[in-house]
Amino acid sequence: MNLEEVKVLYGRPLLDLVFEAAQVHRAHHAANEMQMCTLLSIKTGGCVEDCKYCSQSIHNKTALEKETLLKTDEVLAQARKAKDAGSTRFCMGAAWRDVKDGRGFDRVLEMVKGVSGMGMEACCTLGMLTEDQAVKLKEAGLTAYNHNLDTSESFYDKVITTRTYAERLDTIANVAKAGISLCCGGILGMGESQEDRIALLHTLSNLDPQPESVPINMLVPVAGTPLEKAEALDIFEWIRCIAVARILMPKAMVRLSAGRLTISKEAQALAFLAGANAIFTGEKLLTTPNPESDEDFNLLETLGLKPRPPYKDEKQKEAA
Ligand code: SAM
Ligand code: DTB
Ligand code: SF4
């Protein structure tokens, strides 16, 4: 769809949108399946980028303690715990601007091998990536790489000045060239306009190929960041974005990412109806808290949602 068409779609009555999104969702996915993923920060803080929302940037005066790259054993022990708690995808995040070849990257490759060897889908988010590095990650068994556009191209420089939108798109292209699934989304509630949200959804849906996974983050306002006092986004605007993402990207996993802790169960249920079909479980995201696992399991049980098995897409392709 072109930008004008996305604008018209976005402006439709909310319940019409939710209804259409639910139909699209049911046509392309098992509607009562939810993908459960767990995040781990494998290298925390001290990041040179100036992302205005982030607890991990050296430009922001947050209370976060910096940590060096975790040991492989420690990461694999956490992955095992996540698996035992029902997660089927494990996502490892590093507060890096870009990946540097050498010992650190070699260790990440070991982690990816270990996680995929456990039968879990392995995902990484490590900052900018060259094509060669993407190929190495693919060979190590990586399922998906997360690299977000974060917001519209025109709002982007109000949020980040140390790397460009074009650089983000280059990394996204390198991931696609290596044959890794792309996980790419954005953050809502950073003070962007509705036009910015529309432009972000338009750009995401026109990526070729479309992302396999679209994380929708609601800003977690972190004390000491420039966005600490950002006005909270109306929850129905969040639902609207989820419905539009589902309609524009029918095959993607639409992932409720940061911000669920402050979103009511009822609003999350409406988001699931509007096509969201993946969540992060576990007490922590990367550096900020997430809902308690028990609460998530109770909600899924109440709604009759079942965990999605790992590697489902690949198995379906093999069987076809
Ligand atoms: N350093 C890498 C990068 O930026 O590409 C990977 C980790 S970074 C923390 C991954 C994503 O988390 C960001 O692109 C952003 O969309 C999201 N994120 C970070 N802090 C957030 C916050 N306070 N609220 C919502 N989303 C956030
Ligand atoms: C994404 O889009 N959201 C996740 C994942 N990709 C890596 C990270 C959310 C981070 C929230 C802030 C924090 O915990 O530091
Ligand atoms: Fe660094 Fe990623 Fe945080 Fe930006 S979002 S400051 S790149 S860790």
Side-chain angles (χ1 to χ4, degrees), residues 25-177:
H25 184 201
R26 274 146 209 271
H28 291 87
H29 299 268
N32 288 317
E33 238 172 48
M34 184 66 50
Q35 188 185 47
M36 320 268 266
C37 318
T38 298
L39 278 166
L40 177 69
S41 181
I42 58 169
K43 189 267 166 188
T44 304
C47 182
V48 296
E49 295 279 8
D50 69 350
C51 309
K52 298 207 174 16
Y53 49 78
C54 190
S55 62
Q56 308 199 65
S57 164
I58 53 168
H59 303 271
N60 301 336
K61 306 266 171 305
T62 67
L64 190 78
E65 299 271 346
K66 187 178 154 187
E67 283 170 34
T68 53
L69 184 65
L70 296 182
K71 300 272 181 300
T72 307
D73 287 354
E74 207 172 323
V75 172
L76 296 185
Q78 294 287 340
R80 168 73 51 199
K81 239 174 84 184
K83 185 178 180 191
D84 292 344
S87 235
T88 55
R89 182 184 274 219
F90 193 67
C91 180
M92 295 161 273
W96 284 332
R97 172 173 203 270
D98 50 11
V99 174
K100 306 267 189 297
D101 289 317
R103 285 218 307 259
F105 184 49
D106 291 345
R107 201 188 290 174
V108 174
L109 294 173
E110 270 174 33
M111 295 172 190
V112 170
K113 271 192 200 124
V115 171
S116 67
M118 265 176 219
M120 290 179 100
E121 296 181 20
C123 171
C124 275
T125 180
L126 313 168
M128 292 189 279
L129 205 64
T130 64
E131 192 180 341
D132 182 52
Q133 292 164 338
V135 169
K136 289 201 173 105
L137 283 166
K138 169 81 184 167
E139 284 166 1
L142 194 77
T143 308
Y145 194 80
N146 168 240
H147 199 65
N148 292 337
L149 286 175
D150 276 356
T151 188
S152 70
E153 188 167 10
S154 56
F155 192 67
Y156 185 83
D157 65 1
K158 310 271 181 320
V159 183
I160 301 147
T161 68
T162 49
R163 76 174 141 189
T164 63
Y165 214 67
E167 283 176 309
R168 296 238 177 197
L169 291 165
D170 283 346
T171 293
I172 288 168
N174 290 338
V175 170
K177 275 187 250 163

Side-chain angles (χ1 to χ4, degrees), residues 231-252:
E231 199 184 318
L233 185 75
D234 184 272
I235 201 67
F236 291 119
E237 191 67 17
W238 178 76
I239 301 280
R240 186 178 288 282
C241 289
I242 289 161
V244 172
R246 167 51 69 221
I247 296 168
L248 293 178
M249 294 170 275
K251 294 201 180 118

Side-chain angles (χ1 to χ4, degrees), residues 39 54-56 91 93 125 146 148 183 185-186 215-217 220 222 257-258 280 284-289:
L39 278 166
C54 190
S55 62
Q56 308 199 65
C91 180
T125 180
N146 168 240
N148 292 337
C183 171
I216 308 281
N217 294 283
V220 177
V222 176
S257 302
F280 284 116
K284 225 169 158 197
L285 291 160
L286 289 173
T287 67
T288 64

